[in-house]
Amino acid sequence: MKISYIGILSGLALGVLAPLLVWQGNPGNMGICAACFIRDTSGALGFQSALAYIRPEIIGIVLGAFIAALFFGKFEPRGGSAPTTRFFFGVFAMLGALVFLGCPWRALLRFGAGDLSAIAGILGLVAGVLAGLLVQFKTTFTLGAQRPQTKATGLLMPIFALALLGLLLLGLGGFEWVKFSQKGPASMHAPLIISLIAGLIIGVVFQKSGFCSVGAIKTLIVDKNSAMMQAIIALLISTALVNLALGQFNLGFEKQPIAHNDMLWNFLAMLLCGLCFTLGGGCPGRQLIKSAEGDNDSAIFVMGLIAGAGIAHNFGVAASPAGLGANSAAAVIIGLVFCALVAIFSRRSPAMQG
């Protein structure tokens, strides 16, 4: 097996920085969670009122990836491939993530910190990726080809990130139109500069490596390439070691921060996520990175995540440490049906195959 140094560096970056951010004030086992932090940001933008804070890590990831893409010549504005479908993949991916209480990054970080309730979610994620791969290779599934677009369109997500930074500074300065939570997970955050720097580092390293937790499973199975799986192993080991050093490691199912023990729905919720991420082109973190590279299809997916966060908290879908929300199970089932219908009706026609 060939050692992937950039892959290992990617895993170490997330595995070290995430526990350090918890130590500095971020919610427990949630040093960097793309889905949860997009959810908090959606609240600050008014899409829901349960949890609200513009997370600097999200801003840093986008701007770091944008800087890296420019430096390495990877800024390539593109898009136009089934935007509406991608938007709803983002919506249902967020619903699944908020039933499980975390994205793939957080599932791994939770497990690395000793949270055994994350195992069902990780198994569900793997099952969802495998189901997505089966759809792609057995049903000639496609969302269509992307086309080059103007540089101006590729700049929209970096500009959006800068706008979020401006709103964050206004909110911290007491600007009344920007509302931040005063209690709950969204009120817990590391200092602004530390969070922003951590996001920038993740954005730069992940853009260069192409790391994606969902892609790690896909490339290992399809391409027999273990580079990203090495990143996941490095992530888990470094997360455990740093949490142990900081006194944040807690092995078991009970008393885990911002988690619940409904294993069936942890599994099914992340199965939905795995399907949406595989069919939609990557996990939330990877979608953020690609959007910074000029991929407008990924930007649409991110907008779907923001909308999904609003739906989750406004309509009783999001779970909590106390258990499932009133409509959690129904939302997951509807999402799985949606993915099945997209798989059936997005197959290549004979003309497209030619």
Side-chain angles (χ1 to χ4, degrees), residues 230-268:
Q230 292 177 46
I232 287 180
I233 294 171
L235 187 163
L236 290 172
I237 293 174
S238 58
T239 299
L241 292 176
V242 176
N243 276 310
L244 282 167
L246 296 175
Q248 297 173 171
F249 187 88
N250 176 31
L251 183 64
F253 290 94
E254 303 298 329
K255 298 182 179 179
Q256 297 295 344
I258 315 174
H260 63 79
N261 280 309
D262 193 320
M263 298 305 170
L264 173 62
W265 290 103
N266 276 341
F267 178 89
L268 291 175

PDB file of all heavy atoms in Angstrom, residues 230-268:
ATOM      1  N   GLN A 230      -6.651   6.376   4.292  1.00  0.00           N
ATOM      2  CA  GLN A 230      -5.543   6.675   5.196  1.00  0.00           C
ATOM      3  C   GLN A 230      -5.819   7.961   5.962  1.00  0.00           C
ATOM      4  O   GLN A 230      -5.462   8.097   7.132  1.00  0.00           O
ATOM      5  CB  GLN A 230      -4.245   6.790   4.405  1.00  0.00           C
ATOM      6  CG  GLN A 230      -3.754   5.476   3.802  1.00  0.00           C
ATOM      7  CD  GLN A 230      -2.510   5.664   2.962  1.00  0.00           C
ATOM      8  OE1 GLN A 230      -1.562   6.339   3.367  1.00  0.00           O
ATOM      9  NE2 GLN A 230      -2.495   5.072   1.778  1.00  0.00           N
ATOM     10  N   ALA A 231      -6.454   8.926   5.284  1.00  0.00           N
ATOM     11  CA  ALA A 231      -6.817  10.183   5.944  1.00  0.00           C
ATOM     12  C   ALA A 231      -7.790   9.923   7.082  1.00  0.00           C
ATOM     13  O   ALA A 231      -7.669  10.516   8.169  1.00  0.00           O
ATOM     14  CB  ALA A 231      -7.425  11.144   4.927  1.00  0.00           C
ATOM     15  N   ILE A 232      -8.769   9.041   6.858  1.00  0.00           N
ATOM     16  CA  ILE A 232      -9.758   8.748   7.899  1.00  0.00           C
ATOM     17  C   ILE A 232      -9.095   8.051   9.083  1.00  0.00           C
ATOM     18  O   ILE A 232      -9.395   8.347  10.248  1.00  0.00           O
ATOM     19  CB  ILE A 232     -10.895   7.905   7.311  1.00  0.00           C
ATOM     20  CG1 ILE A 232     -11.774   8.776   6.403  1.00  0.00           C
ATOM     21  CG2 ILE A 232     -11.736   7.270   8.419  1.00  0.00           C
ATOM     22  CD1 ILE A 232     -12.927   8.070   5.758  1.00  0.00           C
ATOM     23  N   ILE A 233      -8.189   7.134   8.810  1.00  0.00           N
ATOM     24  CA  ILE A 233      -7.476   6.450   9.897  1.00  0.00           C
ATOM     25  C   ILE A 233      -6.658   7.454  10.707  1.00  0.00           C
ATOM     26  O   ILE A 233      -6.668   7.443  11.949  1.00  0.00           O
ATOM     27  CB  ILE A 233      -6.576   5.339   9.329  1.00  0.00           C
ATOM     28  CG1 ILE A 233      -7.444   4.234   8.710  1.00  0.00           C
ATOM     29  CG2 ILE A 233      -5.671   4.763  10.422  1.00  0.00           C
ATOM     30  CD1 ILE A 233      -6.652   3.199   7.935  1.00  0.00           C
ATOM     31  N   ALA A 234      -5.959   8.350   9.995  1.00  0.00           N
ATOM     32  CA  ALA A 234      -5.180   9.388  10.680  1.00  0.00           C
ATOM     33  C   ALA A 234      -6.087  10.293  11.497  1.00  0.00           C
ATOM     34  O   ALA A 234      -5.744  10.718  12.610  1.00  0.00           O
ATOM     35  CB  ALA A 234      -4.385  10.202   9.657  1.00  0.00           C
ATOM     36  N   LEU A 235      -7.260  10.591  10.964  1.00  0.00           N
ATOM     37  CA  LEU A 235      -8.232  11.440  11.664  1.00  0.00           C
ATOM     38  C   LEU A 235      -8.668  10.776  12.969  1.00  0.00           C
ATOM     39  O   LEU A 235      -8.679  11.416  14.033  1.00  0.00           O
ATOM     40  CB  LEU A 235      -9.433  11.678  10.750  1.00  0.00           C
ATOM     41  CG  LEU A 235     -10.527  12.671  11.161  1.00  0.00           C
ATOM     42  CD1 LEU A 235     -11.366  13.048   9.931  1.00  0.00           C
ATOM     43  CD2 LEU A 235     -11.465  12.089  12.225  1.00  0.00           C
ATOM     44  N   LEU A 236      -9.032   9.509  12.904  1.00  0.00           N
ATOM     45  CA  LEU A 236      -9.526   8.815  14.091  1.00  0.00           C
ATOM     46  C   LEU A 236      -8.446   8.710  15.169  1.00  0.00           C
ATOM     47  O   LEU A 236      -8.706   8.956  16.349  1.00  0.00           O
ATOM     48  CB  LEU A 236     -10.020   7.419  13.705  1.00  0.00           C
ATOM     49  CG  LEU A 236     -11.309   7.363  12.872  1.00  0.00           C
ATOM     50  CD1 LEU A 236     -11.579   5.940  12.400  1.00  0.00           C
ATOM     51  CD2 LEU A 236     -12.498   7.892  13.663  1.00  0.00           C
ATOM     52  N   ILE A 237      -7.231   8.365  14.754  1.00  0.00           N
ATOM     53  CA  ILE A 237      -6.143   8.209  15.728  1.00  0.00           C
ATOM     54  C   ILE A 237      -5.798   9.546  16.371  1.00  0.00           C
ATOM     55  O   ILE A 237      -5.674   9.654  17.604  1.00  0.00           O
ATOM     56  CB  ILE A 237      -4.895   7.597  15.049  1.00  0.00           C
ATOM     57  CG1 ILE A 237      -5.195   6.153  14.616  1.00  0.00           C
ATOM     58  CG2 ILE A 237      -3.692   7.637  15.988  1.00  0.00           C
ATOM     59  CD1 ILE A 237      -4.087   5.513  13.800  1.00  0.00           C
ATOM     60  N   SER A 238      -5.649  10.577  15.552  1.00  0.00           N
ATOM     61  CA  SER A 238      -5.273  11.886  16.093  1.00  0.00           C
ATOM     62  C   SER A 238      -6.381  12.470  16.965  1.00  0.00           C
ATOM     63  O   SER A 238      -6.111  13.083  18.000  1.00  0.00           O
ATOM     64  CB  SER A 238      -4.910  12.851  14.958  1.00  0.00           C
ATOM     65  OG  SER A 238      -5.985  13.010  14.047  1.00  0.00           O
ATOM     66  N   THR A 239      -7.639  12.259  16.565  1.00  0.00           N
ATOM     67  CA  THR A 239      -8.754  12.739  17.383  1.00  0.00           C
ATOM     68  C   THR A 239      -8.734  12.090  18.761  1.00  0.00           C
ATOM     69  O   THR A 239      -8.892  12.772  19.789  1.00  0.00           O
ATOM     70  CB  THR A 239     -10.100  12.430  16.697  1.00  0.00           C
ATOM     71  OG1 THR A 239     -10.151  13.088  15.435  1.00  0.00           O
ATOM     72  CG2 THR A 239     -11.264  12.900  17.548  1.00  0.00           C
ATOM     73  N   ALA A 240      -8.539  10.776  18.782  1.00  0.00           N
ATOM     74  CA  ALA A 240      -8.504  10.069  20.067  1.00  0.00           C
ATOM     75  C   ALA A 240      -7.351  10.558  20.934  1.00  0.00           C
ATOM     76  O   ALA A 240      -7.526  10.817  22.138  1.00  0.00           O
ATOM     77  CB  ALA A 240      -8.389   8.569  19.821  1.00  0.00           C
ATOM     78  N   LEU A 241      -6.173  10.715  20.343  1.00  0.00           N
ATOM     79  CA  LEU A 241      -4.998  11.115  21.122  1.00  0.00           C
ATOM     80  C   LEU A 241      -5.138  12.527  21.674  1.00  0.00           C
ATOM     81  O   LEU A 241      -4.832  12.791  22.844  1.00  0.00           O
ATOM     82  CB  LEU A 241      -3.737  11.006  20.257  1.00  0.00           C
ATOM     83  CG  LEU A 241      -3.305   9.591  19.871  1.00  0.00           C
ATOM     84  CD1 LEU A 241      -2.109   9.629  18.932  1.00  0.00           C
ATOM     85  CD2 LEU A 241      -2.978   8.764  21.122  1.00  0.00           C
ATOM     86  N   VAL A 242      -5.619  13.454  20.839  1.00  0.00           N
ATOM     87  CA  VAL A 242      -5.764  14.838  21.303  1.00  0.00           C
ATOM     88  C   VAL A 242      -6.852  14.934  22.368  1.00  0.00           C
ATOM     89  O   VAL A 242      -6.685  15.631  23.381  1.00  0.00           O
ATOM     90  CB  VAL A 242      -6.064  15.788  20.119  1.00  0.00           C
ATOM     91  CG1 VAL A 242      -6.323  17.208  20.623  1.00  0.00           C
ATOM     92  CG2 VAL A 242      -4.908  15.792  19.132  1.00  0.00           C
ATOM     93  N   ASN A 243      -7.955  14.217  22.186  1.00  0.00           N
ATOM     94  CA  ASN A 243      -9.008  14.233  23.198  1.00  0.00           C
ATOM     95  C   ASN A 243      -8.533  13.626  24.514  1.00  0.00           C
ATOM     96  O   ASN A 243      -8.889  14.120  25.595  1.00  0.00           O
ATOM     97  CB  ASN A 243     -10.244  13.491  22.685  1.00  0.00           C
ATOM     98  CG  ASN A 243     -11.140  14.361  21.831  1.00  0.00           C
ATOM     99  OD1 ASN A 243     -11.508  15.467  22.212  1.00  0.00           O
ATOM    100  ND2 ASN A 243     -11.495  13.876  20.646  1.00  0.00           N
ATOM    101  N   LEU A 244      -7.756  12.567  24.424  1.00  0.00           N
ATOM    102  CA  LEU A 244      -7.189  11.983  25.640  1.00  0.00           C
ATOM    103  C   LEU A 244      -6.285  12.985  26.348  1.00  0.00           C
ATOM    104  O   LEU A 244      -6.344  13.138  27.574  1.00  0.00           O
ATOM    105  CB  LEU A 244      -6.408  10.712  25.301  1.00  0.00           C
ATOM    106  CG  LEU A 244      -7.229   9.445  25.038  1.00  0.00           C
ATOM    107  CD1 LEU A 244      -6.359   8.363  24.409  1.00  0.00           C
ATOM    108  CD2 LEU A 244      -7.848   8.941  26.349  1.00  0.00           C
ATOM    109  N   ALA A 245      -5.449  13.677  25.577  1.00  0.00           N
ATOM    110  CA  ALA A 245      -4.531  14.640  26.158  1.00  0.00           C
ATOM    111  C   ALA A 245      -5.265  15.808  26.817  1.00  0.00           C
ATOM    112  O   ALA A 245      -4.804  16.356  27.830  1.00  0.00           O
ATOM    113  CB  ALA A 245      -3.573  15.169  25.080  1.00  0.00           C
ATOM    114  N   LEU A 246      -6.417  16.170  26.262  1.00  0.00           N
ATOM    115  CA  LEU A 246      -7.173  17.315  26.773  1.00  0.00           C
ATOM    116  C   LEU A 246      -8.247  16.912  27.788  1.00  0.00           C
ATOM    117  O   LEU A 246      -8.987  17.766  28.285  1.00  0.00           O
ATOM    118  CB  LEU A 246      -7.845  18.054  25.612  1.00  0.00           C
ATOM    119  CG  LEU A 246      -6.900  18.691  24.585  1.00  0.00           C
ATOM    120  CD1 LEU A 246      -7.692  19.278  23.425  1.00  0.00           C
ATOM    121  CD2 LEU A 246      -6.039  19.758  25.243  1.00  0.00           C
ATOM    122  N   GLY A 247      -8.344  15.612  28.077  1.00  0.00           N
ATOM    123  CA  GLY A 247      -9.347  15.140  29.025  1.00  0.00           C
ATOM    124  C   GLY A 247     -10.760  15.167  28.475  1.00  0.00           C
ATOM    125  O   GLY A 247     -11.729  15.269  29.232  1.00  0.00           O
ATOM    126  N   GLN A 248     -10.878  15.061  27.142  1.00  0.00           N
ATOM    127  CA  GLN A 248     -12.189  15.130  26.494  1.00  0.00           C
ATOM    128  C   GLN A 248     -12.650  13.782  25.957  1.00  0.00           C
ATOM    129  O   GLN A 248     -13.695  13.711  25.306  1.00  0.00           O
ATOM    130  CB  GLN A 248     -12.137  16.134  25.325  1.00  0.00           C
ATOM    131  CG  GLN A 248     -11.839  17.553  25.759  1.00  0.00           C
ATOM    132  CD  GLN A 248     -11.613  18.523  24.616  1.00  0.00           C
ATOM    133  OE1 GLN A 248     -11.531  19.733  24.826  1.00  0.00           O
ATOM    134  NE2 GLN A 248     -11.481  18.016  23.397  1.00  0.00           N
ATOM    135  N   PHE A 249     -11.904  12.717  26.217  1.00  0.00           N
ATOM    136  CA  PHE A 249     -12.253  11.391  25.700  1.00  0.00           C
ATOM    137  C   PHE A 249     -13.196  10.712  26.682  1.00  0.00           C
ATOM    138  O   PHE A 249     -12.919  10.623  27.873  1.00  0.00           O
ATOM    139  CB  PHE A 249     -10.992  10.552  25.502  1.00  0.00           C
ATOM    140  CG  PHE A 249     -11.241   9.235  24.819  1.00  0.00           C
ATOM    141  CD1 PHE A 249     -11.215   9.147  23.443  1.00  0.00           C
ATOM    142  CD2 PHE A 249     -11.503   8.092  25.559  1.00  0.00           C
ATOM    143  CE1 PHE A 249     -11.443   7.936  22.803  1.00  0.00           C
ATOM    144  CE2 PHE A 249     -11.726   6.873  24.928  1.00  0.00           C
ATOM    145  CZ  PHE A 249     -11.700   6.803  23.545  1.00  0.00           C
ATOM    146  N   ASN A 250     -14.334  10.233  26.162  1.00  0.00           N
ATOM    147  CA  ASN A 250     -15.334   9.581  27.012  1.00  0.00           C
ATOM    148  C   ASN A 250     -15.867   8.365  26.271  1.00  0.00           C
ATOM    149  O   ASN A 250     -16.707   8.485  25.385  1.00  0.00           O
ATOM    150  CB  ASN A 250     -16.470  10.555  27.345  1.00  0.00           C
ATOM    151  CG  ASN A 250     -17.586   9.896  28.135  1.00  0.00           C
ATOM    152  OD1 ASN A 250     -17.346   8.966  28.913  1.00  0.00           O
ATOM    153  ND2 ASN A 250     -18.807  10.360  27.938  1.00  0.00           N
ATOM    154  N   LEU A 251     -15.391   7.182  26.623  1.00  0.00           N
ATOM    155  CA  LEU A 251     -15.772   5.966  25.929  1.00  0.00           C
ATOM    156  C   LEU A 251     -17.105   5.441  26.444  1.00  0.00           C
ATOM    157  O   LEU A 251     -17.284   5.234  27.651  1.00  0.00           O
ATOM    158  CB  LEU A 251     -14.692   4.895  26.108  1.00  0.00           C
ATOM    159  CG  LEU A 251     -14.914   3.577  25.373  1.00  0.00           C
ATOM    160  CD1 LEU A 251     -14.902   3.799  23.862  1.00  0.00           C
ATOM    161  CD2 LEU A 251     -13.839   2.550  25.761  1.00  0.00           C
ATOM    162  N   GLY A 252     -18.042   5.226  25.527  1.00  0.00           N
ATOM    163  CA  GLY A 252     -19.324   4.651  25.914  1.00  0.00           C
ATOM    164  C   GLY A 252     -20.468   5.194  25.079  1.00  0.00           C
ATOM    165  O   GLY A 252     -20.277   6.010  24.180  1.00  0.00           O
ATOM    166  N   PHE A 253     -21.675   4.727  25.415  1.00  0.00           N
ATOM    167  CA  PHE A 253     -22.881   5.156  24.722  1.00  0.00           C
ATOM    168  C   PHE A 253     -23.583   6.297  25.446  1.00  0.00           C
ATOM    169  O   PHE A 253     -24.289   7.087  24.817  1.00  0.00           O
ATOM    170  CB  PHE A 253     -23.868   3.983  24.592  1.00  0.00           C
ATOM    171  CG  PHE A 253     -23.422   2.912  23.633  1.00  0.00           C
ATOM    172  CD1 PHE A 253     -22.722   1.803  24.085  1.00  0.00           C
ATOM    173  CD2 PHE A 253     -23.715   3.012  22.285  1.00  0.00           C
ATOM    174  CE1 PHE A 253     -22.320   0.806  23.200  1.00  0.00           C
ATOM    175  CE2 PHE A 253     -23.328   2.029  21.392  1.00  0.00           C
ATOM    176  CZ  PHE A 253     -22.618   0.924  21.852  1.00  0.00           C
ATOM    177  N   GLU A 254     -23.414   6.379  26.740  1.00  0.00           N
ATOM    178  CA  GLU A 254     -24.175   7.325  27.552  1.00  0.00           C
ATOM    179  C   GLU A 254     -23.393   8.611  27.806  1.00  0.00           C
ATOM    180  O   GLU A 254     -22.175   8.650  27.748  1.00  0.00           O
ATOM    181  CB  GLU A 254     -24.549   6.667  28.890  1.00  0.00           C
ATOM    182  CG  GLU A 254     -25.345   5.379  28.751  1.00  0.00           C
ATOM    183  CD  GLU A 254     -26.685   5.586  28.069  1.00  0.00           C
ATOM    184  OE1 GLU A 254     -27.263   6.697  28.220  1.00  0.00           O
ATOM    185  OE2 GLU A 254     -27.174   4.654  27.406  1.00  0.00           O
ATOM    186  N   LYS A 255     -24.170   9.670  28.092  1.00  0.00           N
ATOM    187  CA  LYS A 255     -23.620  10.975  28.470  1.00  0.00           C
ATOM    188  C   LYS A 255     -22.650  11.528  27.437  1.00  0.00           C
ATOM    189  O   LYS A 255     -21.642  12.146  27.776  1.00  0.00           O
ATOM    190  CB  LYS A 255     -22.950  10.888  29.844  1.00  0.00           C
ATOM    191  CG  LYS A 255     -23.915  10.519  30.965  1.00  0.00           C
ATOM    192  CD  LYS A 255     -23.228  10.485  32.306  1.00  0.00           C
ATOM    193  CE  LYS A 255     -24.218  10.128  33.418  1.00  0.00           C
ATOM    194  NZ  LYS A 255     -23.564  10.061  34.755  1.00  0.00           N
ATOM    195  N   GLN A 256     -22.960  11.285  26.170  1.00  0.00           N
ATOM    196  CA  GLN A 256     -22.160  11.846  25.086  1.00  0.00           C
ATOM    197  C   GLN A 256     -22.758  13.194  24.683  1.00  0.00           C
ATOM    198  O   GLN A 256     -23.973  13.355  24.645  1.00  0.00           O
ATOM    199  CB  GLN A 256     -22.131  10.900  23.888  1.00  0.00           C
ATOM    200  CG  GLN A 256     -21.488   9.552  24.173  1.00  0.00           C
ATOM    201  CD  GLN A 256     -19.999   9.671  24.489  1.00  0.00           C
ATOM    202  OE1 GLN A 256     -19.374  10.683  24.218  1.00  0.00           O
ATOM    203  NE2 GLN A 256     -19.432   8.607  25.062  1.00  0.00           N
ATOM    204  N   PRO A 257     -21.914  14.175  24.396  1.00  0.00           N
ATOM    205  CA  PRO A 257     -22.437  15.508  24.086  1.00  0.00           C
ATOM    206  C   PRO A 257     -23.179  15.564  22.755  1.00  0.00           C
ATOM    207  O   PRO A 257     -22.688  15.096  21.732  1.00  0.00           O
ATOM    208  CB  PRO A 257     -21.173  16.386  24.044  1.00  0.00           C
ATOM    209  CG  PRO A 257     -20.056  15.427  23.774  1.00  0.00           C
ATOM    210  CD  PRO A 257     -20.440  14.133  24.413  1.00  0.00           C
ATOM    211  N   ILE A 258     -24.380  16.120  22.792  1.00  0.00           N
ATOM    212  CA  ILE A 258     -25.206  16.369  21.609  1.00  0.00           C
ATOM    213  C   ILE A 258     -25.301  15.103  20.754  1.00  0.00           C
ATOM    214  O   ILE A 258     -24.901  15.057  19.596  1.00  0.00           O
ATOM    215  CB  ILE A 258     -24.660  17.556  20.791  1.00  0.00           C
ATOM    216  CG1 ILE A 258     -24.305  18.708  21.733  1.00  0.00           C
ATOM    217  CG2 ILE A 258     -25.723  18.017  19.774  1.00  0.00           C
ATOM    218  CD1 ILE A 258     -23.636  19.872  21.054  1.00  0.00           C
ATOM    219  N   ALA A 259     -25.852  14.045  21.347  1.00  0.00           N
ATOM    220  CA  ALA A 259     -26.008  12.747  20.676  1.00  0.00           C
ATOM    221  C   ALA A 259     -27.184  12.017  21.317  1.00  0.00           C
ATOM    222  O   ALA A 259     -27.577  12.316  22.446  1.00  0.00           O
ATOM    223  CB  ALA A 259     -24.735  11.915  20.808  1.00  0.00           C
ATOM    224  N   HIS A 260     -27.759  11.077  20.578  1.00  0.00           N
ATOM    225  CA  HIS A 260     -28.811  10.230  21.138  1.00  0.00           C
ATOM    226  C   HIS A 260     -28.524   8.782  20.754  1.00  0.00           C
ATOM    227  O   HIS A 260     -27.698   8.497  19.888  1.00  0.00           O
ATOM    228  CB  HIS A 260     -30.200  10.662  20.657  1.00  0.00           C
ATOM    229  CG  HIS A 260     -30.402  10.541  19.175  1.00  0.00           C
ATOM    230  ND1 HIS A 260     -30.680   9.347  18.545  1.00  0.00           N
ATOM    231  CD2 HIS A 260     -30.366  11.484  18.182  1.00  0.00           C
ATOM    232  CE1 HIS A 260     -30.811   9.548  17.241  1.00  0.00           C
ATOM    233  NE2 HIS A 260     -30.625  10.824  16.982  1.00  0.00           N
ATOM    234  N   ASN A 261     -29.223   7.870  21.412  1.00  0.00           N
ATOM    235  CA  ASN A 261     -28.929   6.448  21.258  1.00  0.00           C
ATOM    236  C   ASN A 261     -30.006   5.669  20.516  1.00  0.00           C
ATOM    237  O   ASN A 261     -30.133   4.456  20.710  1.00  0.00           O
ATOM    238  CB  ASN A 261     -28.697   5.810  22.629  1.00  0.00           C
ATOM    239  CG  ASN A 261     -27.302   6.088  23.154  1.00  0.00           C
ATOM    240  OD1 ASN A 261     -26.313   5.868  22.465  1.00  0.00           O
ATOM    241  ND2 ASN A 261     -27.226   6.605  24.374  1.00  0.00           N
ATOM    242  N   ASP A 262     -30.755   6.330  19.646  1.00  0.00           N
ATOM    243  CA  ASP A 262     -31.715   5.602  18.817  1.00  0.00           C
ATOM    244  C   ASP A 262     -30.957   5.040  17.615  1.00  0.00           C
ATOM    245  O   ASP A 262     -30.818   5.675  16.574  1.00  0.00           O
ATOM    246  CB  ASP A 262     -32.833   6.536  18.347  1.00  0.00           C
ATOM    247  CG  ASP A 262     -34.006   5.764  17.767  1.00  0.00           C
ATOM    248  OD1 ASP A 262     -33.762   4.773  17.050  1.00  0.00           O
ATOM    249  OD2 ASP A 262     -35.160   6.148  18.020  1.00  0.00           O
ATOM    250  N   MET A 263     -30.439   3.829  17.769  1.00  0.00           N
ATOM    251  CA  MET A 263     -29.507   3.268  16.792  1.00  0.00           C
ATOM    252  C   MET A 263     -30.149   3.039  15.427  1.00  0.00           C
ATOM    253  O   MET A 263     -29.503   3.227  14.385  1.00  0.00           O
ATOM    254  CB  MET A 263     -28.915   1.951  17.325  1.00  0.00           C
ATOM    255  CG  MET A 263     -28.115   2.125  18.587  1.00  0.00           C
ATOM    256  SD  MET A 263     -26.802   3.357  18.401  1.00  0.00           S
ATOM    257  CE  MET A 263     -26.270   3.554  20.087  1.00  0.00           C
ATOM    258  N   LEU A 264     -31.413   2.623  15.404  1.00  0.00           N
ATOM    259  CA  LEU A 264     -32.067   2.375  14.122  1.00  0.00           C
ATOM    260  C   LEU A 264     -32.102   3.647  13.288  1.00  0.00           C
ATOM    261  O   LEU A 264     -31.723   3.643  12.108  1.00  0.00           O
ATOM    262  CB  LEU A 264     -33.484   1.852  14.344  1.00  0.00           C
ATOM    263  CG  LEU A 264     -34.340   1.714  13.081  1.00  0.00           C
ATOM    264  CD1 LEU A 264     -33.709   0.713  12.107  1.00  0.00           C
ATOM    265  CD2 LEU A 264     -35.769   1.321  13.430  1.00  0.00           C
ATOM    266  N   TRP A 265     -32.533   4.746  13.914  1.00  0.00           N
ATOM    267  CA  TRP A 265     -32.672   5.980  13.141  1.00  0.00           C
ATOM    268  C   TRP A 265     -31.341   6.696  12.949  1.00  0.00           C
ATOM    269  O   TRP A 265     -31.182   7.458  11.993  1.00  0.00           O
ATOM    270  CB  TRP A 265     -33.738   6.872  13.772  1.00  0.00           C
ATOM    271  CG  TRP A 265     -35.083   6.251  13.569  1.00  0.00           C
ATOM    272  CD1 TRP A 265     -35.826   5.572  14.491  1.00  0.00           C
ATOM    273  CD2 TRP A 265     -35.814   6.171  12.332  1.00  0.00           C
ATOM    274  NE1 TRP A 265     -36.979   5.087  13.917  1.00  0.00           N
ATOM    275  CE2 TRP A 265     -37.003   5.455  12.595  1.00  0.00           C
ATOM    276  CE3 TRP A 265     -35.597   6.654  11.050  1.00  0.00           C
ATOM    277  CZ2 TRP A 265     -37.961   5.191  11.608  1.00  0.00           C
ATOM    278  CZ3 TRP A 265     -36.544   6.403  10.062  1.00  0.00           C
ATOM    279  CH2 TRP A 265     -37.701   5.690  10.342  1.00  0.00           C
ATOM    280  N   ASN A 266     -30.374   6.430  13.821  1.00  0.00           N
ATOM    281  CA  ASN A 266     -29.012   6.888  13.533  1.00  0.00           C
ATOM    282  C   ASN A 266     -28.520   6.243  12.235  1.00  0.00           C
ATOM    283  O   ASN A 266     -27.941   6.906  11.368  1.00  0.00           O
ATOM    284  CB  ASN A 266     -28.066   6.526  14.677  1.00  0.00           C
ATOM    285  CG  ASN A 266     -28.096   7.537  15.806  1.00  0.00           C
ATOM    286  OD1 ASN A 266     -28.531   8.671  15.631  1.00  0.00           O
ATOM    287  ND2 ASN A 266     -27.626   7.132  16.978  1.00  0.00           N
ATOM    288  N   PHE A 267     -28.767   4.945  12.120  1.00  0.00           N
ATOM    289  CA  PHE A 267     -28.351   4.199  10.926  1.00  0.00           C
ATOM    290  C   PHE A 267     -29.091   4.692   9.690  1.00  0.00           C
ATOM    291  O   PHE A 267     -28.485   5.010   8.657  1.00  0.00           O
ATOM    292  CB  PHE A 267     -28.594   2.705  11.136  1.00  0.00           C
ATOM    293  CG  PHE A 267     -28.249   1.853   9.940  1.00  0.00           C
ATOM    294  CD1 PHE A 267     -26.962   1.343   9.791  1.00  0.00           C
ATOM    295  CD2 PHE A 267     -29.197   1.561   8.961  1.00  0.00           C
ATOM    296  CE1 PHE A 267     -26.635   0.559   8.686  1.00  0.00           C
ATOM    297  CE2 PHE A 267     -28.877   0.783   7.859  1.00  0.00           C
ATOM    298  CZ  PHE A 267     -27.587   0.287   7.725  1.00  0.00           C
ATOM    299  N   LEU A 268     -30.414   4.770   9.770  1.00  0.00           N
ATOM    300  CA  LEU A 268     -31.213   5.134   8.594  1.00  0.00           C
ATOM    301  C   LEU A 268     -30.988   6.590   8.189  1.00  0.00           C
ATOM    302  O   LEU A 268     -30.967   6.916   6.992  1.00  0.00           O
ATOM    303  CB  LEU A 268     -32.691   4.889   8.875  1.00  0.00           C
ATOM    304  CG  LEU A 268     -33.108   3.421   8.999  1.00  0.00           C
ATOM    305  CD1 LEU A 268     -34.577   3.316   9.392  1.00  0.00           C
ATOM    306  CD2 LEU A 268     -32.851   2.662   7.698  1.00  0.00           C
TER     307      LEU A 268
END
